[in-house]
């Protein structure tokens, strides 16, 4: 089966086309055929597509909404110029897998989308007003463009965290707020963590129930997850992706009274405070320069910029604090696993996060760490290190495609 994986953001659409099926999954032989991203949907959009080992397309063109963007993707993947192997018409796309950010308490695994599921995703808009509306637009557009005969599946970022115990998912607020509104920690990056846990157990030769790691997904959005016995038992993002680590434009944990302070002193409305917390804080807010870690590292290296250094140091210190907290909460783990754009690519940041953790049995191998960039996976701790460190590039799209195949074929999901 060829599965189109769609990840619709508020002004972007990412896609991958993946050839997979139950027998290919069993042999780990499924493969990506093409991928791409459209940014700035709604204006002069930036289109960047590539076929694996083949044609590439980079253009700017007006694409007014998600439907136009998905139409552009579909037209390209079936076009003679793209030459995607085995794909020459829309009939060659047999299923769609959508990344949906919030599944609330209702969706704990991948589902084939019908009107009831769509209603359920709409119900969670209240919990993810920035994300779920774009996911719904993507689902409706793909259904219209591919027709009702092509099954569409939803894979939720929150699902992997459905195993959180009450002690981890409840906020210590009046309990009736949880009863009334399902106000609780949900956690995000779940598909990424599921992939990391799956791949770690493959590489380390373990059974799922023997996976005990602290995983750090460090990208523009960043979070930590305590994975015990193969299941998520705590995670740093909460009701929304605002809580926890320092991120590109979000500051993570803050004292909630800061909101009232900002309202009183700066005269900001709740909407403006929301923008400040989501879009103007984190690495960008502290450095005053950029939300991009690579640029900050360069600025620190080339110009010794004090606030660039401070932003990076705060990012690393917060991540280190969560590692310590989760190791205590889990009663120890076998490894710290890094993923996400920063976690996968920056030996410097990994080194700074893990600095000084020798006392808890983690010693980094500087040469291994330095060599582990650009898509490589493996261990970066020194031989004999009691607590190990690993890098595993995430692959959420692969799991979404596999989940979609299993959901469509009624096969149980395994990881
Ligand atoms: P993501 O959201 O997972 O795509 O990650 C984006 C973040 O990864 C940005 O802050 C990038 O600057 C950062 N990043 C990507 N490559 C590198 C690199 N080689 N060194 C440091 N940061 C990187």
């Amino acid at each position: 089966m060829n599965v189109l994986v769609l990840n619709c953001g508020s002004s972007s659409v990412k896609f991958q086309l993946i050839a997979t099926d139950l027998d290919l999954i069993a042999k780990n032989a499924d493969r990506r055929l093409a991928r791409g991203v459209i940014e700035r949907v709604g204006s002069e959009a930036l289109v960047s597509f590539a076929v694996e080992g083949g044609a590439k397309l980079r253009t700017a063109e007006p694409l007014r909404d998600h439907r136009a963007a998905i139409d552009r993707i579909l037209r390209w993947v079936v076009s003679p110029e793209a030459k995607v192997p085995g794909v020459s018409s829309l009939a060659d796309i047999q299923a769609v897998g959508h990344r949906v950010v919030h599944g609330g308490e209702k969706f704990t695994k991948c589902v084939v989308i019908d009107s009831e599921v769509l209603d359920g995703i709409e119900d969670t808009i209240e919990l993810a007003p920035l994300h779920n509306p774009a996911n719904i637009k993507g689902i409706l557009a793909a259904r219209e463009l591919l027709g009702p005969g092509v099954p569409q599946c939803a894979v939720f970022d929150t699902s992997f965290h459905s195993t959180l115990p009450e002690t981890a998912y409840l906020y210590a607020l009046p309990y009736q707020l949880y009863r009334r509104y399902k106000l609780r920690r949900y956690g995000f990056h779940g598909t990424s963590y599921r992939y990391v846990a799956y791949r770690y157990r493959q590489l380390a030769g373990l059974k799922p129930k023997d996976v005990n790691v602290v995983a750090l997904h460090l990208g523009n959005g960043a979070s930590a997850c305590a994975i015990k016995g193969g299941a998520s038992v705590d995670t740093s993002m909460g009701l929304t992706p605002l809580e926890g680590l320092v991120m590109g434009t979000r500051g993570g944990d803050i004292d909630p009274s800061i909101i009232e302070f900002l309202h009183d002193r700066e005269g900001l409305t709740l909407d403006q405070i929301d923008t400040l917390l989501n879009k103007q804080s984190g690495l960008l807010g502290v450095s005053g320069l950029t939300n991009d870690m690579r640029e900050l590292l360069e600025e620190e290296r080339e110009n010794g910029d004090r606030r660039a250094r401070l932003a990076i140091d705060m990012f690393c210190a917060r991540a280190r604090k969560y590692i310590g907290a989760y190791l205590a909460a889990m009663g120890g783990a076998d490894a710290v696993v890094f993923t996400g754009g920063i976690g996968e690519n920056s030996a410097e940041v990994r080194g700074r996060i893990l600095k000084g953790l020798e006392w808890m049995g983690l010693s980094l191998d500087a040469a291994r760490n330095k060599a582990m960039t650009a898509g490589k996976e493996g261990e970066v701790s020194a031989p004999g290190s009691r607590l190990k460190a690993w890098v595993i590039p995430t692959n959420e799209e692969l799991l979404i495609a596999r989940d979609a195949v299993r959901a469509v074929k009624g096969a149980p999901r395994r990881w």
Side-chain angles (χ1 to χ4, degrees):
M1 275 174 85
N2 293 324
V3 181
L4 178 70
V5 176
L6 287 176
N7 179 355
C8 294
S10 56
S11 64
S12 69
V13 179
K14 288 190 194 142
F15 85 92
Q16 288 198 12
L17 189 60
I18 296 178
T20 179
D21 219 323
L22 296 179
D23 57 332
L24 294 174
I25 297 171
K27 289 186 272 182
N28 210 7
D30 29 17
R31 65 197 177 98
R32 182 171 58 213
L33 302 174
R35 67 164 137 182
V37 57
I38 302 181
E39 288 165 305
R40 294 206 218 144
V41 173
S43 60
E44 188 74 0
L46 302 174
V47 175
S48 175
F49 296 162
V51 177
E52 285 304 289
K56 285 191 170 53
L57 176 75
R58 262 178 181 278
T59 61
E61 51 192 88
L63 293 171
R64 71 174 180 283
D65 55 19
H66 286 76
R67 186 190 178 285
I70 294 170
D71 185 44
R72 184 72 181 92
I73 291 167
L74 291 172
R75 279 191 288 115
W76 189 73
V77 293
V78 301
S79 69
E81 78 189 87
K83 290 199 201 66
V84 179
V87 180
S88 56
S89 80
L90 291 184
D92 295 320
I93 298 171
Q94 284 94 18
V96 182
H98 294 269
R99 174 191 180 216
V100 179
V101 170
H102 216 309
E105 281 194 335
K106 190 176 175 128
F107 298 111
T108 57
K109 61 180 178 37
C110 171
V111 284
V112 179
I113 301 169
D114 55 19
S115 52
E116 199 183 318
V117 169
L118 205 53
D119 286 349
I121 298 173
E122 272 170 11
D123 289 344
T124 59
I125 286 181
E126 178 180 49
L127 300 172
L130 297 179
H131 298 96
N132 275 23
N135 301 148
I136 291 170
K137 282 183 198 160
I139 292 166
L140 295 175
R143 189 167 65 182
E144 189 192 327
L145 293 162
L146 286 164
V150 177
Q152 308 220 23
C153 306
V155 176
F156 301 88
D157 249 29
T158 45
S159 293
F160 184 62
H161 303 299
S162 63
T163 48
L164 292 184
E166 263 183 323
T167 48
Y169 76 66
L170 281 177
Y171 290 111
L173 295 168
Y175 190 81
Q176 61 270 29
L177 292 174
Y178 166 64
R179 277 225 201 90
R180 213 177 285 154
Y181 306 113
K182 300 282 176 228
L183 191 74
R184 51 162 282 181
R185 171 183 315 287
Y186 288 95
F188 299 87
H189 290 142
T191 311
S192 176
Y193 288 126
R194 189 152 59 89
Y195 178 81
V196 162
Y198 149 78
R199 192 68 192 138
Y200 173 78
R201 79 149 167 91
Q202 267 193 340
L203 293 168
L206 301 169
K207 296 203 166 65
K209 67 173 179 37
D210 295 326
V211 173
N212 297 306
V213 299
V214 176
L216 296 172
H217 180 115
L218 307 178
N220 197 35
S223 69
C225 182
I227 302 174
K228 185 171 178 173
S232 172
V233 294
D234 207 348
T235 192
S236 60
M237 284 177 168
L239 174 73
T240 74
L242 202 48
E243 192 181 347
L245 303 190
V246 175
M247 314 181 209
T249 59
R250 303 179 205 129
D253 297 335
I254 57 163
D255 180 339
S257 64
I258 289 174
I259 293 170
E260 193 185 348
F261 187 97
L262 288 172
H263 173 68
D264 286 349
R265 299 295 178 90
E266 291 269 301
L268 298 181
T269 64
L270 282 179
D271 268 357
Q272 288 168 324
I273 294 171
D274 192 61
T275 303
L276 181 145
L277 296 176
N278 273 295
K279 306 228 164 101
Q280 298 162 356
S281 301
L283 296 175
L284 172 66
V286 176
S287 71
L289 293 171
T290 173
N291 63 317
D292 189 295
M293 181 58 92
R294 198 168 11 190
E295 288 174 21
L296 284 178
L297 287 163
E298 216 172 276
E299 195 59 40
E300 180 189 42
R301 200 170 45 239
E302 312 275 309
N303 304 322
D305 187 275
R306 191 189 85 81
R307 277 174 47 200
R309 172 168 302 125
L310 179 62
I312 301 165
D313 283 345
M314 286 174 68
F315 180 93
C316 295
R318 183 80 56 83
R320 191 183 314 118
K321 192 156 90 173
Y322 268 88
I323 293 173
Y326 284 174
L327 286 172
M330 297 164 73
D334 299 322
V336 175
V337 186
F338 290 91
T339 195
I342 300 169
E344 293 165 22
N345 294 301
S346 180
E348 166 80 17
V349 172
R350 290 194 299 263
R352 279 159 79 164
I353 290 173
L354 298 179
K355 202 164 176 208
L357 294 188
E358 290 79 10
W359 65 270
M360 60 161 69
L362 198 160
S363 51
L364 197 63
D365 183 314
R368 274 182 178 174
N369 185 38
K370 198 163 170 210
M372 200 68 70
T373 51
K376 295 206 194 86
E377 60 184 4
E379 190 181 338
V380 292
S381 42
S385 179
R386 196 154 47 81
L387 176 61
K388 313 233 178 282
W390 280 68
V391 176
I392 298 183
T394 196
N395 195 345
E396 292 155 279
E397 292 81 4
L398 180 69
L399 285 199
I400 293 174
R402 288 180 171 186
D403 280 357
V405 167
R406 292 189 184 110
V408 167
K409 302 214 162 171
R413 186 186 87 185
R414 287 192 306 272
W415 55 286

